[in-house]
Amino acid sequence: MASEKDRTTHYREGSLTLAGTVMLGTGVMIGAGIFALTGQMAQMTGALFPLAFLAAAVVVGFSAYSYIKISNAYPSAGGIGMYLHKAYGNRLPTAFNALLMYFSMVIAQSFLARTFGSYTMQLFGGDEGGRLVPILGVSLMLAALLINLLGNRMIQGVASFIGILKITGIVIFGLVGVWISDSISVDFSTPGEAGSLGNFLGATALGILAFKGFTTITNSGSEVQDPHRNVGRAIVISIAACVVIYTLVGFAVSSNLSLPEIIETQDYSLAAAARPALGDYGVWFTVAIAMMATAGGILASIFAVSRMLAMLTEMQLVPHSHFGMPGSIQKHTLVYTVVLGLILTAFFDLSRIAALGIVFYLIMDIAIHWGVLRYLKADVKAQAWVPLMAILLDLLVLGGFVWVKLNTDPFVIGVAVVTMIVIATAEQVFLKKSPESAQAEDEKSDDHHHR
């Protein structure tokens, strides 16, 4: 009985406003999207990288439809974990894909943490030894853990304050960068060897990482005021704001740096772009924005992903141990999430962190759309062609990304495949021993997704 009680989560309904929810979503999106992905996308697809951002926005636009429909019908603090459960029940597809989403979000936190370290070190001439960047990233994640332990109001207040400063600063950077540049034109006609279709699709997949933070909003779920309306509204507002900001900043960077310079400075390309445009003051300004953006992104991501893991634990879809820690299940999942993020931050570089994240996310995303198409279409009143298009687009960009990585860094694809096999195998063993899962198998005929 005590173990069941230990698995219970506690959420404060209506504790997040629409504005606060938007800030949590954009906090993750903008932090990852601009400050580290720009250079990686330029390396992959050359001068076409601003178009790859726009292509990613189109893919995410189709993807968001399914999340909005499910969010409006079933707002939940478990977010994607609960949505998968609605479609697939207490079975392996739910646990496997929810864990893929969990790991992709933890990876995103590590991505943000390393980006924070890379930009911060530009104030001190860089990090030639490569040691201080992960140390700074680890320190930021520990600070974010402490803030998350203080509760929703503190998280919302800090995230909103950082979000306002960050978005204002980025818009100023973009406008000033475009204004003082010689030209805002980008030469799309000579993308070079990197301009192949496969590379463009691969860069588009990376660009999706810049937008996937909207899923953070779904994990806020029932904690949002008037969730049946505001979760979907927050998703739309966040994506639209990021499309405008990414387009503006992309042209500002490409107008002030040559393509080789963008690629060379890929871990801190915005700071590098600020130097020719605004001098040292511009670099300091950009670094300050990057530090706020990545800090806000980690804060929001830890908030969301720990709640999803707590919901999966409550549904008995994943194993759980307190390890002697006091407090609720939410506190425990916060600690687990941060510890895993610390390991990734310390030992993986930015490009490999991003690659793992996008593979896990796109596979999970396809499962969400298939769940809507196959099992939830009538319940959530969805048009079938939209999730079908989302699946096709996901498969297209995932195929392009995997093709590029197999030719440039097959190790990271190998790690992704092995990790997914381990997750699936471990979950299958766990679920076979779970009484909840056994009961679900016995009651298949009563589940809506088997009618």
Side-chain angles (χ1 to χ4, degrees):
M1 191 73 180
S3 63
E4 291 298 320
K5 185 177 181 181
D6 287 342
R7 282 179 176 264
T8 302
T9 52
H10 304 279
Y11 300 107
R12 294 186 58 192
E13 293 187 4
S15 59
L16 293 173
T17 64
L18 173 60
T21 307
V22 170
M23 287 301 175
L24 286 172
T26 54
V28 177
M29 294 163 76
I30 293 177
I34 289 182
F35 293 102
L37 288 175
T38 301
Q40 291 192 38
M41 292 171 68
Q43 184 179 37
M44 190 169 286
T45 196
L48 299 179
F49 78 89
L51 295 183
F53 265 125
L54 294 177
V58 173
V59 176
V60 170
F62 280 97
S63 289
Y65 177 84
S66 294
Y67 294 88
I68 291 171
K69 284 293 185 180
I70 307 175
S71 296
N72 289 342
Y74 310 114
S76 166
I80 289 168
M82 181 60 73
Y83 302 161
L84 287 164
H85 185 264
K86 288 289 183 182
Y88 300 104
N90 282 20
R91 298 187 301 137
L92 181 60
T94 297
F96 173 74
N97 286 290
L99 285 176
L100 286 188
M101 183 59 185
Y102 173 79
F103 284 115
S104 77
M105 294 180 75
V106 173
I107 287 167
Q109 294 163 20
S110 303
F111 187 76
L112 288 165
R114 300 256 338 184
T115 302
F116 173 86
S118 295
Y119 273 84
T120 302
M121 287 310 301
Q122 297 314 301
L123 297 176
F124 309 99
D127 184 19
E128 296 297 330
R131 298 175 182 175
L132 292 177
V133 165
I135 291 174
L136 288 168
V138 165
S139 301
L140 176 61
M141 292 198 71
L142 291 174
L145 170 63
L146 293 177
I147 295 174
N148 267 274
L149 290 172
L150 295 177
N152 282 8
R153 290 191 180 277
M154 176 63 72
I155 298 166
Q156 177 177 290
V158 174
S160 298
F161 176 72
I162 291 175
I164 292 170
L165 292 178
K166 169 181 62 179
I167 293 173
T168 302
I170 291 172
V171 170
I172 291 173
F173 167 85
L175 291 173
V176 173
V178 169
W179 178 58
I180 68 174
S181 64
D182 295 331
S183 171
I184 63 170
S185 62
V186 181
D187 186 6
F188 297 130
S189 63
T190 56
E193 294 182 3
S196 69
L197 177 60
N199 283 359
F200 182 80
L201 291 174
T204 299
L206 275 178
I208 290 172
L209 281 181
F211 292 97
K212 86 174 189 72
F214 81 84
T215 59
T216 301
I217 296 170
T218 68
N219 290 73
S220 304
S222 57
E223 294 180 283
V224 180
Q225 294 174 5
D226 192 7
H228 293 281
R229 294 178 62 236
N230 283 339
V231 172
R233 290 168 64 188
I235 289 173
V236 173
I237 293 169
S238 298
I239 293 174
C242 287
V243 169
V244 174
I245 293 171
Y246 292 167
T247 302
L248 180 64
V249 173
F251 278 102
V253 171
S254 60
S255 298
N256 288 283
L257 290 178
S258 66
L259 183 59
E261 289 172 331
I262 296 173
I263 295 172
E264 182 182 356
T265 61
Q266 60 179 284
D267 289 350
Y268 52 92
S269 54
L270 260 69
R275 190 177 299 279
L278 303 170
D280 287 340
Y281 292 107
V283 173
W284 300 338
F285 177 73
T286 306
V287 169
I289 299 171
M291 292 171 68
M292 288 188 291
T294 50
I298 288 176
L299 180 66
S301 182
I302 290 174
F303 171 83
V305 73
S306 62
R307 275 151 177 73
M308 187 181 75
L309 184 59
M311 182 65 73
L312 292 173
T313 303
E314 185 179 20
M315 293 189 295
Q316 298 188 28
L317 286 173
V318 295
H320 177 76
S321 174
H322 298 315
F323 292 110
M325 291 186 295
S328 69
I329 184 68
Q330 294 157 270
K331 305 299 184 185
H332 303 163
T333 55
L334 274 172
V335 174
Y336 305 154
T337 297
V338 171
V339 169
L340 182 56
L342 293 177
I343 294 171
L344 289 171
T345 301
F347 298 108
F348 276 71
D349 64 26
L350 278 174
S351 62
R352 283 181 166 171
I353 288 174
L356 285 173
I358 195 59
V359 171
F360 291 167
Y361 172 75
L362 285 175
I363 292 174
M364 182 285 308
D365 196 52
I366 291 169
I368 287 284
H369 302 314
W370 177 249
V372 170
L373 191 64
R374 179 67 177 84
Y375 303 125
L376 299 178
K377 183 177 65 176
D379 294 347
V380 302
K381 299 179 174 60
Q383 297 292 324
W385 71 272
V386 184
L388 178 60
M389 180 62 69
I391 290 173
L392 294 175
L393 291 174
D394 278 350
L395 288 172
L396 185 64
V397 297
L398 177 60
F401 183 77
V402 170
W403 174 258
V404 171
K405 284 298 177 182
L406 284 175
N407 286 282
T408 58
D409 189 11
F411 173 77
V412 76
I413 299 300
V415 170
V417 171
V418 170
T419 302
M420 288 187 288
I421 291 173
V422 170
I423 291 172
T425 303
E427 274 299 317
Q428 182 69 12
V429 171
F430 173 75
L431 291 175
K432 280 187 176 180
K433 298 178 179 179
S434 169
E436 291 286 330
S437 179
Q439 181 181 6
E441 289 297 317
D442 292 338
E443 298 175 355
K444 278 183 180 179
S445 59
D446 296 328
D447 292 341
H448 71 84
H449 49 78
H450 291 284
R451 286 182 296 182

